[in-house]
Amino acid sequence: MKHLHAVEDVMTISRACIASLTLCCSLGACSGGGSSSNQAPDAGASGRGTVNGMVTDIGTGARVPNASVSGGGQSAISDSRGEFTLSGLAAGTVTISVTATGYAPGYATARAGDQAAPVIVSLKQQGTPQTYDATTAATLSERTEAGPYALILQPSSLDTTDTHLRVSITPLDPTKEKKALPGNLVTGGSSPSLLLPVTFAEFTILDSAGKRVQLKASASALVELPIPPSLRASYPLGTKIHCYAYDSTTAAWEDFVEGTVQISSVDGTSPVLSASVRHFSWYGGAPQGQDCADVYVNVVSAVDGKPLGNARVEATPGTTAYTDADGSAHVIAALGSPGSSYTAYQTGFDVDGSLTGIKGAKYIEFGVVDEDLVGLVKRSCTGTAAPLAPATHTAAVIGTQGNPLVIKVGVLKDVIYEAIATLAAGSGGSSGSAVVILTAGPPGPDGKLANPQPASGAKITLTDSSGQSIPLAETGAGSGFYATTSAFTITPGKSYTLSIDADGNGSIDGSGTIVGVGDLAWINPTNGANVAADTFQASWSDTGTAAANPAYAPVYIATVQGSSDLAFYLGTDRQFPVLSALSNAPLTAGTYTATLLAFSGVYAQVGGGVRIARNITGAGVTGTLLSLGGAPEPITFAVH
């Protein structure tokens, strides 16, 4: 199923007026939907050797100000709108590095040439810093919805004697946050190959002076990276996966070791990729793609449909290209990776204020298409980026020269939309329901909405994995509250995608996917039972498992409470040995009450409790999509 994402102009401009405008890129004219006077006021007509870009937060959708940007011997600081310009660059590929307080380092590549190159760098908020003494052994972890990311260090393996280190593990799930991966997912060397992303993280260790610390030359460390639930069927226990580290000097992923999928040493439940590292940076598992395809795209304005030249096109996973004067470009995309996307964008300067309302403001036109293309002739994922000889396709095959994949782009807004959504699967004859609370406003310094207001007039759709969909209706004018209002069965254990057209203009601005959680029932103990403390193992059933969906991995919260003792479980298993949370020994004899909950869209925190996941992402859209299972009534039983 296709999900077309495009963000259009916030101003109300008549279509007749728009049709008479001619878009000029920030550094050189090209046709499109903006004003002919909208060109770079300070970079000359050609824009030679210039990169215009924007830094964004992958989790909140907000732009990141005060980020330090460097590349090609030049540097800049992102402004209050997260935008920057690097000029005076030598022609060729430029590797761009971005750092910002509270974020893992980000990287991108851009083309410096006769026209200005646009680039968007998405950053991931850095994991919680943890203290570490380099003279000791330790397992440090950062929990996520997919499971715990772990770093296992041995004594005196770091190139420092500092005993007050700060370690940050920044997890990245490429099924949801692939745009935050640095650079293109391509190997280095004379014959580069496209990679299929599985699981990634960034590891940063700082000493007391704030300087990065690395391993000693002869040392290594172990890492464990959880396999996302939707990929677990493709990478079962025992699978070997190549692991790569990002090299910012070559802008490529370099092969280090082969990792193995095994059970997490932290929670004893989650399947993780275990591997060794010799350098702390962005690191992850990604097998080389076996099947790739030439994909032809055409980038057009969402305002008037005219082709846009000099737009950057990114296939993820895949290569990057720039459109010609007809808006056409060719990229190579790796097949067989869920969530394939094709992004297009370009930048310009709004000299007369007709597009942004601010004279001289820089704007970015942006659009994304998420689609798994089928029917294309396969090619090797290794070697040259030159297209193969044109193959014969039927007219229905999208992505060919005769029927290119169309990407509509519109002006990216400063407003951020935030959605809080819940999905309830049907049970007891009910069909289930979905509700969304949508608000909008400018992002504050912390990325949260400042003075959020209800976002009325949005178009929101819920679609299941078979392609059937239903719109959500706004329950009251101006309420920003949307809900399913007609029969649409939400099946436990089945995957659902929520697509949000926040401004109601017909293009999808953000989306999120979740699995409907089923109804729970206690297997052991049962109500009124009398169980032996030394062999007590609690267990329960979940109707969501009947769908046999590999992405089904809700978090269960079980509590066993007595007058003088208690036990607690939080994890993805449907059973656990019941031990006292006070003594880690069998429960004391007595009467207990047991309760059980299940969620999807939350995960366990390192320090206890749960954290809500931001699993709705897009261009200026963020939010959380949750599913709550049907909880059984509390039961009472005895322990002897």
Side-chain angles (χ1 to χ4, degrees):
M1 187 186 80
K2 179 190 293 187
H3 301 288
L4 178 63
H5 307 251
V7 182
E8 300 191 15
D9 190 4
V10 296
M11 301 181 65
T12 303
I13 306 174
S14 70
R15 185 170 183 83
C17 176
I18 292 171
S20 67
L21 302 178
T22 302
L23 175 68
C24 284
C25 298
S26 57
L27 301 170
C30 55
S31 60
S35 167
S36 60
S37 62
N38 290 325
Q39 60 185 13
D42 58 352
S46 68
R48 184 183 300 274
T50 300
V51 171
N52 289 319
M54 182 175 72
V55 184
T56 67
D57 183 319
I58 190 69
T60 66
R63 304 188 184 195
V64 180
N66 301 316
S68 298
V69 184
S70 62
Q74 305 297 322
S75 61
I77 302 293
S78 63
D79 61 19
S80 61
R81 302 176 72 245
E83 297 171 1
F84 66 88
T85 295
L86 296 175
S87 57
L89 301 170
T93 300
V94 180
T95 300
I96 297 171
S97 301
V98 180
T99 58
T101 302
Y103 292 89
Y107 304 93
T109 58
R111 180 188 68 182
D114 291 338
Q115 291 182 307
V119 67
I120 296 176
V121 186
S122 296
L123 301 183
K124 180 72 187 289
Q125 291 188 14
Q126 197 168 50
T128 304
Q130 303 175 58
T131 59
Y132 172 63
D133 181 345
T135 64
T136 64
T139 296
L140 306 172
S141 65
E142 181 83 17
R143 292 182 183 269
T144 71
E145 189 178 7
Y149 289 71
L151 172 61
I152 304 171
L153 295 165
Q154 297 302 315
S156 304
S157 60
L158 299 179
D159 191 16
T160 182
T161 58
D162 199 326
T163 58
H164 296 86
L165 302 176
R166 289 172 296 154
V167 180
S168 297
I169 304 171
T170 302
L172 190 145
D173 182 345
T175 66
K176 303 173 183 177
E177 306 164 319
K178 54 184 176 288
K179 283 300 180 182
L181 282 171
N184 293 326
L185 207 59
V186 178
T187 62
S190 59
S191 188
S193 180
L194 297 181
L195 303 175
L196 300 179
V198 176
T199 180
F200 289 85
E202 200 278 335
F203 300 93
T204 292
I205 300 180
L206 301 178
D207 63 15
S208 301
K211 295 182 180 179
R212 290 186 73 101
V213 174
Q214 292 293 343
L215 290 156
K216 293 179 179 177
S218 59
S220 62
L222 289 177
V223 298
E224 292 181 354
L225 311 177
I227 306 298
S230 61
L231 299 181
R232 289 175 183 173
S234 300
Y235 302 99
L237 295 178
T239 302
K240 302 292 184 180
I241 301 177
H242 279 182
C243 295
Y244 298 83
Y246 184 74
D247 187 334
S248 60
T249 61
T250 63
W253 292 84
E254 306 296 344
D255 192 1
F256 275 71
V257 299
E258 190 174 62
T260 304
V261 179
Q262 60 185 44
I263 295 298
S264 166
S265 65
V266 175
D267 67 5
T269 300
S270 304
V272 298
L273 175 62
S274 177
S276 64
V277 296
R278 296 193 293 268
H279 182 83
F280 297 122
S281 62
W282 279 104
Y283 186 85
Q288 293 188 8
Q290 299 300 311
D291 296 317
C292 286
D294 293 304
V295 178
Y296 293 86
V297 303
N298 187 240
V299 180
V300 301
S301 168
V303 177
D304 59 13
K306 292 183 178 180
L308 299 180
N310 196 40
R312 179 182 172 108
V313 178
E314 300 171 351
T316 308
T319 61
T320 297
Y322 295 84
T323 59
D324 60 20
D326 295 324
S328 299
H330 158 260
V331 293
I332 299 175
L335 305 178
S337 176
S340 298
S341 65
Y342 302 86
T343 306
Y345 55 88
Q346 65 172 198
T347 59
F349 285 88
D350 191 5
V351 175
D352 60 9
S354 62
L355 293 177
T356 65
I358 304 174
K359 291 184 177 181
K362 186 186 299 180
Y363 62 84
I364 294 183
E365 293 183 295
F366 179 89
V368 174
V369 171
D370 291 340
E371 184 168 343
D372 294 324
L373 300 176
V374 295
L376 296 172
V377 173
K378 296 178 181 179
R379 59 165 294 165
S380 171
C381 295
T382 302
T384 178
L388 299 175
T392 301
H393 292 90
T394 64
V397 175
I398 300 174
T400 59
Q401 285 177 299
N403 188 18
L405 179 68
V406 176
I407 306 177
K408 296 181 180 180
V409 302
V411 175
L412 192 64
K413 304 174 183 178
D414 290 334
V415 171
I416 298 295
Y417 293 91
E418 184 169 36
I420 304 298
T422 58
L423 181 77
S427 63
S430 71
S431 59
S433 63
V435 298
V436 178
I437 300 173
L438 188 65
T439 56
D446 59 357
K448 297 181 180 178
L449 299 191
N451 189 29
Q453 300 294 317
S456 184
K459 297 177 182 178
I460 302 177
T461 303
L462 182 69
T463 306
D464 65 20
S465 54
S466 65
Q468 297 182 2
S469 62
I470 184 174
L472 276 65
E474 190 171 10
T475 58
S479 68
F481 186 91
Y482 302 80
T484 50
T485 58
S486 57
F488 181 79
T489 301
I490 299 174
T491 304
K494 199 170 184 178
S495 296
Y496 294 86
T497 296
L498 190 75
S499 301
I500 301 175
D501 172 7
D503 51 12
N505 65 0
S507 61
I508 302 302
D509 301 312
S511 62
T513 298
I514 203 168
V515 178
V517 180
D519 292 334
L520 312 179
W522 284 104
I523 297 175
N524 185 51
T526 56
N527 197 43
N530 192 341
V531 300
D534 57 351
T535 60
F536 187 9
Q537 175 118 345
S539 62
W540 55 88
S541 63
D542 180 349
T543 59
T545 61
N549 185 348
Y552 190 63
V555 172
Y556 300 100
I557 303 175
T559 59
V560 177
Q561 178 75 52
S563 59
S564 60
D565 208 350
L566 62 91
F568 180 80
Y569 173 78
L570 191 153
T572 56
D573 268 357
R574 289 182 294 280
Q575 60 183 14
F576 73 104
V578 182
L579 298 175
S580 169
L582 305 178
S583 64
N584 201 36
L587 292 174
T588 58
T591 301
Y592 289 83
T593 298
T595 60
L596 185 62
L597 295 173
F599 296 89
S600 183
V602 302
Y603 56 88
Q605 295 188 101
V606 173
V610 296
R611 179 183 298 177
I612 295 175
R614 285 191 175 270
N615 50 10
I616 296 176
T617 59
V621 176
T622 183
T624 296
L625 176 57
L626 293 169
S627 181
L628 174 64
E633 292 293 328
I635 61 172
T636 301
F637 63 98
V639 172
H640 66 270

